[in-house]
Amino acid sequence: MGSLTNLRYLNLFRSFFGGNIPTQLGSLTHLLSLDLSHNYLLHGIPYQLGSLTCLRYLDLSDNNLDGKIPSQLGNLSQLRHLGLSVHSTFPSLVILDFSYNKMASLVFQAISITNSSSSLVWLDLSSNLLKSSSIFYWLFNSTTNLRILELFDNMLEGPIPDGFGKVMNSLEDLDLSSNKIQGEIPSFFGNMCTLQSLDLSNNKLSGQISSFFLNSSWCNKHVFQKLCLSGNNITGRLPKSIGLLSKLTELMLSRNYLEGDVTESNLSNFSKLAFLQLSYSSLSLKIGPTWLLLSNYCSWD
């Protein structure tokens, strides 16, 4: 394969290859796109990949990568999509995907995205073994122009830091589900005017759900579409102020300790709701046929 020096595109996605990534790939200096993702058994990143200076797309995600990330990857200055973390700067990088690996630490201090990759809009570090919440400190000082941030299925602990409300001014989609996050749901999410989707399900969050709606302004109420809080320890009654989120398409509150009645007045503004999940709680659903007629495509649980 190393002799195919005029090759522009090489896609070995989900081919079930194992072993070391071959160093001969470094000879394919005209490559624009290299996809080795979802092989699960590949490991080791050869420094020879740093010779592929024409690459715009590199995806090594969803493997069992181990060892060091070679600094030679810093030569790949044309990258737009990167499926791993590197010790370098990428002024044109749009997507950084390091999901579905087994990394317990990404050595964030070695990643110099700060002030050099303002184009980065999508960061996916989901399904790794991240334990320390120091990742948040790194994020708030490096990637404040993000629109999509996926950190689900890790081992993150502690409360949700207020840095999200202070510096993540462009965030549209935040997924912190399936971690060990504790504390109450911060009300500052209502100040994040671009936020459209929030998934905090399957954590250890507690407190009254009404505290989430203390921010009556909810500047994002006209764009907010998805709220997932299932699988936590949240208590209290569903507040009427939830009706401010009139654009909701998904509302998932199951497996909590919520109580009281869910009435037509609670949900009267949800004409766009497509998925409603209230199972395994003490909530009672009491709505009339008028509201049901507006929800012909709603999925109930």
Side-chain angles (χ1 to χ4, degrees):
M1 187 173 291
S3 64
L4 305 177
T5 54
N6 290 318
L7 201 63
R8 299 301 199 271
Y9 299 90
L10 178 57
N11 189 342
L12 299 175
F13 164 86
R14 196 168 288 170
S15 299
F16 300 100
F17 288 125
N20 292 320
I21 297 174
T23 60
Q24 290 86 348
L25 292 180
S27 301
L28 309 181
T29 54
H30 289 90
L31 272 184
L32 301 176
S33 176
L34 175 59
D35 191 343
L36 298 175
S37 63
H38 296 268
N39 280 290
Y40 311 111
L41 298 176
L42 288 176
H43 53 87
I45 304 174
Y47 72 86
Q48 288 85 352
L49 293 186
S51 300
L52 308 180
T53 54
C54 294
L55 270 184
R56 296 193 174 191
Y57 183 100
L58 174 61
D59 198 341
L60 300 174
S61 61
D62 206 354
N63 284 293
N64 287 320
L65 298 176
D66 54 10
K68 294 182 178 180
I69 298 171
S71 60
Q72 287 84 352
L73 293 191
N75 297 330
L76 310 183
S77 59
Q78 301 299 313
L79 279 181
R80 301 296 187 272
H81 176 113
L82 176 59
L84 76 162
S85 297
V86 295
H87 175 71
S88 186
T89 60
F90 296 89
S92 302
L93 195 63
V94 175
I95 300 174
L96 180 59
D97 183 352
F98 198 50
S99 59
Y100 294 94
N101 282 286
K102 294 184 178 180
M103 301 297 287
S105 174
L106 297 180
V107 195
F108 299 112
Q109 295 83 355
I111 306 173
S112 308
I113 295 178
T114 308
N115 299 324
S116 64
S117 187
S118 58
S119 60
L120 188 67
V121 298
W122 188 340
L123 177 61
D124 190 347
L125 302 176
S126 56
S127 290
N128 279 285
L129 299 174
L130 302 178
K131 297 181 180 180
S132 174
S133 58
S134 61
I135 181 179
F136 297 125
Y137 177 81
W138 172 78
L139 285 171
F140 301 147
N141 286 278
S142 305
T143 56
T144 55
N145 291 319
L146 283 178
R147 294 183 184 177
I148 300 174
L149 175 58
E150 298 185 70
L151 293 171
F152 65 85
D153 193 19
N154 277 285
M155 303 175 70
L156 299 174
E157 298 179 330
I160 299 173
D162 58 7
F164 283 109
K166 291 180 178 179
V167 300
M168 291 289 182
N169 298 320
S170 302
L171 204 60
E172 298 175 3
D173 187 333
L174 175 60
D175 193 338
L176 296 173
S177 63
S178 299
N179 280 285
K180 299 179 180 180
I181 297 174
Q182 302 164 325
E184 295 189 354
I185 307 171
S187 61
F188 61 66
F189 284 121
N191 290 326
M192 299 175 65
C193 296
T194 59
L195 192 63
Q196 300 177 25
S197 175
L198 177 63
D199 193 340
L200 303 176
S201 58
N202 300 316
N203 278 288
K204 297 182 178 181
L205 295 168
S206 57
Q208 296 277 325
I209 192 173
S210 57
S211 64
F212 181 46
F213 296 95
L214 289 178
N215 188 337
S216 60
S217 61
W218 272 87
C219 66
N220 58 356
K221 60 186 176 184
H222 298 300
V223 298
F224 198 84
Q225 300 175 16
K226 178 180 177 180
L227 177 60
C228 301
L229 302 177
S230 299
N232 282 286
N233 299 313
I234 302 169
T235 60
R237 295 177 176 270
L238 197 64
K240 291 183 179 180
S241 53
I242 196 173
L244 293 171
L245 309 180
S246 59
K247 302 298 182 181
L248 272 184
T249 60
E250 296 184 40
L251 177 60
M252 291 180 273
L253 302 174
S254 65
R255 292 178 288 116
N256 279 288
Y257 297 94
L258 300 171
E259 58 186 4
D261 296 335
V262 179
T263 65
E264 191 165 342
S265 61
N266 292 123
L267 305 177
S268 58
N269 291 332
F270 296 158
S271 59
K272 298 183 180 297
L273 197 64
F275 190 88
L276 176 63
Q277 187 183 66
L278 303 175
S279 56
Y280 295 97
S281 68
S282 298
L283 290 169
S284 299
L285 190 62
K286 295 182 178 181
I287 56 178
T290 303
W291 192 81
L292 285 173
L293 289 174
L294 298 175
S295 307
N296 292 329
Y297 302 102
C298 190
S299 175
W300 302 87
D301 185 356

